Amino acid sequence: MTAPLFGQMMDVPLTVSSLIAHAARYHGDTQIVSRRIEGDIHRYTYRECETRAKQLAQALMALGVARGERVGTLAWNGYRHLEAYFGVPGFGAVCHTINPRLFPEQIAYIINHADDQYVLFDITFAPLIDALAPQCPNVRGWIALTDESHRPAMRTPVLCYETLIEAQDGRYEWPQLDERSASVLCYTSGTTGNPKGALYSHRSSVLHAYGASLPDAMGLSSRDAVLPVVPMFHVNAWGIPHAAPLNGAKLVLPGKDLDGKSLYELMEAEGVTCAAGVPTVWLGLLAHLRAAGVRFSTLTRTVIGGSACPPAMLRAFEDEYGVQVIHAWGMTEMSPLGTLAKLNWAQSQRPLEAQRAQLEKQGRVIYGVDMKIVGPDGKELPWDGVAFGDLHVRGPWVIDRYFRQESGTPLVDGWFPTGDVATIDPDGFLHITDRTKDVIKSGGEWISSISLENVAVAHPAVAEAACIACAHPRWTERPLIVAVLKPGATLTREELLAFFVGKVAKWWMPDDVVFINELPHTATGKLLKLKLREQFRDYVLPTALDTDNCPLGENEANR
Ligand code: AMP
């Protein structure tokens, strides 16, 4: 056998610190603007950010944090959190971003499971830290992300971030780490069971940042001002804190005020061109735009994902405000980006309605991710846009196993099963129809709850809607719509049901509608259908009482 002929190129490791080093050196004057927890706007440059990230690295090493050890963060989107994004992995420790919206017991579980040595926290979370500290005996210190003058009064002894980093000179060379070493740790939301850790590597974080920046992904550049509304405590704010310095884009960090008015004002004041967030946030922004009668002057595009973007929202942004919506899909286990919906040349030549139908889907994979849908027998299903299957993915920024679950791999034949149910069309566009556990199984056929929710929220009186399966004696399960009306709006069950006619297959028609005041959400803003299903466990559908005279007919016959 002949030995392989190796390429003769430099083996420069892909490290997270190289991203901020690049931005500091080549985009040194570009700004990072943060709305601070203290209430004011803070502004500095990539150059200053890198110096302070180095000071943080020095401070943590002085506290005795070793390479590979975890340092937690409980913080909003702001410049100090960004410094942790680079300062912690920069010297070889692991930045563990924690979602403060989880239940305190889950947070304590996560901190202990990750074995965090120190936890950096925004002062808004001081009461939470006081509650957590007794449950997390292995944490060696809690560091308040503020200066001495804003140090909160707390039961727990805490260190002050500014004091710690001021003691360091910032003269530090980022080490050339092994690019496969761990960079960031994120836990899943844990809607079922305990949250699980996805441990990214320097290599995967940098490759993901490249992928996220591509023209057919977020398309970032040094002419952009990017505002991640998606929190830095949830899957790296979709990689934007890494991708922005890679491109030298201005970064605008909104802090804790994520209501429509606050976001709009920040976008206008800072000339934001690109924003990213979950649909719930954009609902608030659209409501503010309409109520205040204002428009965007610089925003060109918004990336919407984390949950399905309702077509009505896509149209509102595009038709009313001239802002391009880029629907995106991904998950914690994928760093998170998997697919984005942007039309290729051939698709853009189709009639407008056909273009829109494509853009409502979750789109095409970014280079680096490979996907397939499989049936119950594990066999790959066709890409015909009709066949539903379990979605499996693989790629260099997809997890191989969960943190500290070394025995047992989640992979099936080398692919990661996402837990999502989807179709893929002949264009290679993914359409997520459900989570595996949310799909409605009616008479052996599957009904997409997301598709029915999209129809419901397209009704002008509906603010939000969830579709869940209800037990049915004949069909096993049938869809129930649980909806929240917009303030002041009126709508009857019959009117909403009539709105579905002609928009979905006859056998997909919801069996009933219930109006409630508020829908339960997970810590990451997704509908908490598990809770809704529990709430409506004993709900009796009107069609369940009259099975002989079932209005549905046979599923197959009505297809
Ligand atoms: P998380 O790990 O918390 O980011 O959640 C990932 C899950 O959110 C995915 O597996 C999907 O079920 C859901 N999700 C993310 N983006 C979308 C989207 N654009 N459309 C539908 N579901 C989505």
Side-chain angles (χ1 to χ4, degrees):
M1 242 192 0
T2 43
L5 176 63
F6 288 111
Q8 296 173 335
M9 308 307 285
M10 291 186 195
D11 197 6
V12 178
L14 303 176
T15 56
V16 166
S17 60
S18 69
L19 298 170
I20 191 68
H22 169 82
R25 193 164 156 85
Y26 297 101
H27 303 277
D29 293 331
T30 299
Q31 288 196 356
I32 299 164
V33 179
S34 310
R35 185 178 270 146
R36 295 209 300 175
I37 310 305
E38 290 91 337
D40 53 349
I41 294 283
H42 173 273
R43 201 177 282 283
Y44 71 172
T45 62
Y46 276 119
R47 195 176 297 114
E48 290 163 281
C49 177
E50 189 194 26
T51 304
R52 283 171 52 94
K54 287 183 168 179
Q55 287 173 281
L56 173 61
Q58 290 173 312
L60 290 171
M61 284 186 285
L63 286 171
V65 179
R67 285 191 183 177
E69 286 185 332
R70 272 75 62 200
V71 174
T73 64
L74 266 164
W76 302 104
N77 294 8
Y79 66 104
R80 294 187 183 113
H81 201 178
L82 190 69
E83 290 158 11
Y85 261 57
F86 298 106
V88 177
F91 75 96
V94 179
C95 182
H96 169 209
T97 53
I98 307 164
N99 186 341
R101 296 194 183 123
L102 293 171
F103 294 118
E105 309 80 70
Q106 281 182 318
I107 299 180
Y109 168 85
I110 287 176
I111 291 175
N112 292 330
H113 188 266
D115 198 15
D116 290 335
Q117 301 297 300
Y118 284 86
V119 176
L120 309 169
F121 66 95
D122 268 336
I123 51 177
T124 29
F125 302 120
L128 177 63
I129 300 298
D130 273 340
L132 290 172
Q135 301 173 57
C136 305
N138 294 338
V139 174
R140 286 152 58 194
W142 305 84
I143 303 174
L145 289 165
T146 190
D147 54 24
E148 292 296 343
S149 65
H150 293 89
R151 183 196 273 271
M154 294 174 64
R155 274 199 313 276
T156 315
V158 298
L159 298 162
C160 187
Y161 181 82
E162 292 295 338
T163 314
L164 276 181
I165 70 166
E166 267 162 29
Q168 306 297 332
D169 61 12
R171 269 187 246 122
Y172 174 66
E173 287 272 321
W174 297 119
Q176 297 281 296
L177 305 165
D178 185 325
E179 65 177 21
R180 291 162 305 174
S181 54
S183 57
V184 180
L185 176 62
C186 291
Y187 280 74
T188 59
S189 314
T191 40
T192 48
N194 276 326
K196 295 194 280 282
L199 183 63
Y200 313 129
S201 64
H202 283 264
R203 173 185 152 83
S204 73
S205 298
V206 173
L207 290 177
H208 178 265
Y210 264 120
S213 309
L214 290 171
D216 276 343
M218 294 197 214
L220 295 182
S221 83
S222 55
R223 288 162 298 286
D224 274 314
V226 197
L227 187 151
V229 186
V230 50
M232 288 166 69
F233 55 71
H234 183 215
V235 243
N236 293 316
W238 300 351
I240 292 172
H242 296 140
L246 182 148
N247 292 282
K250 174 177 173 180
L251 200 47
V252 182
L253 302 172
K256 65 175 175 33
D257 298 325
L258 305 180
D259 59 284
K261 183 168 182 289
S262 306
L263 287 176
Y264 174 77
E265 287 171 0
L266 192 60
M267 285 177 176
E268 287 297 299
E270 298 303 329
V272 168
T273 55
C274 175
V278 296
T280 329
V281 163
W282 301 133
L283 272 181
L285 185 64
L286 284 174
H288 171 72
L289 293 176
R290 286 175 182 144
V294 289
R295 301 184 67 78
F296 298 110
S297 49
T298 54
L299 189 73
T300 58
R301 60 204 193 279
T302 167
V303 185
I304 304 186
S307 299
C309 172
M313 177 174 285
L314 199 146
R315 279 163 203 236
F317 268 112
E318 300 214 342
D319 298 349
E320 291 173 47
Y321 297 102
V323 172
Q324 181 192 12
V325 168
I326 307 168
H327 193 189
W329 167 85
M331 61 196 311
T332 306
E333 289 89 337
M334 301 179 70
S335 307
L337 287 180
T339 65
L340 294 103
K342 279 203 182 169
L343 303 182
N344 65 16
W345 183 83
Q347 289 170 315
S348 69
Q349 303 306 301
R350 296 179 190 158
L352 198 60
E353 276 313 301
Q355 292 185 31
R356 290 202 143 153
Q358 286 303 105
L359 291 172
E360 288 167 9
K361 298 184 180 184
Q362 281 76 2
R364 196 182 275 112
V365 292
I366 316 172
Y367 163 79
V369 176
D370 193 10
M371 67 179 176
K372 66 175 181 180
I373 45 172
V374 300
D377 55 2
K379 291 227 171 67
E380 188 167 354
L381 295 171
W383 292 16
D384 56 10
V386 179
F388 289 55
D390 291 321
L391 177 63
H392 290 195
V393 292
R394 64 180 176 191
W397 58 80
V398 179
I399 63 156
D400 177 49
R401 71 201 93 134
Y402 287 104
F403 182 52
R404 292 192 146 175
Q405 291 194 358
E406 306 310 335
S407 62
T409 167
L411 305 192
V412 179
D413 299 332
W415 293 74
F416 178 76
T418 62
D420 285 333
V421 177
T423 64
I424 304 176
D425 69 19
D427 287 337
F429 263 47
L430 174 75
H431 184 205
I432 302 283
T433 54
D434 260 305
R435 289 293 292 165
T436 315
K437 55 192 183 311
D438 294 338
V439 74
I440 298 159
K441 299 183 184 90
S442 172
E445 298 287 325
W446 287 5
I447 297 177
S448 156
S449 66
I450 296 179
S451 302
L452 297 186
E453 284 157 11
N454 283 342
V455 175
V457 295
H459 193 289
V462 175
E464 210 183 353
C467 177
I468 54 169
C470 257
H472 192 282
R474 181 164 178 190
W475 303 109
T476 319
E477 290 179 355
R478 289 293 305 162
L480 166 71
I481 298 284
V482 186
V484 177
L485 291 181
K486 286 186 182 153
T490 51
L491 182 69
T492 63
R493 163 191 183 276
E494 287 69 26
E495 283 164 345
L496 186 53
L497 286 176
F499 188 68
F500 280 83
V501 175
K503 297 189 176 77
V504 296
K506 219 162 148 198
W507 67 277
W508 279 33
M509 283 289 291
D511 283 31
D512 204 3
V513 170
V514 178
F515 295 105
I516 62 174
N517 291 331
E518 204 185 338
L519 288 170
H521 289 98
T522 66
T524 49
K526 299 183 212 302
L527 283 172
L528 192 51
K529 293 201 186 169
L530 194 70
K531 192 148 173 221
L532 262 190
R533 278 197 296 266
E534 268 164 28
Q535 202 176 327
F536 287 90
R537 197 178 38 214
D538 301 324
Y539 189 80
V540 181
L541 292 167
T543 51
L545 300 171
D546 189 12
T547 50
D548 284 345
N549 190 16
C550 181
L552 303 164
E554 294 299 330
N555 288 341
E556 286 305 322
N558 274 308
R559 281 240 253 185

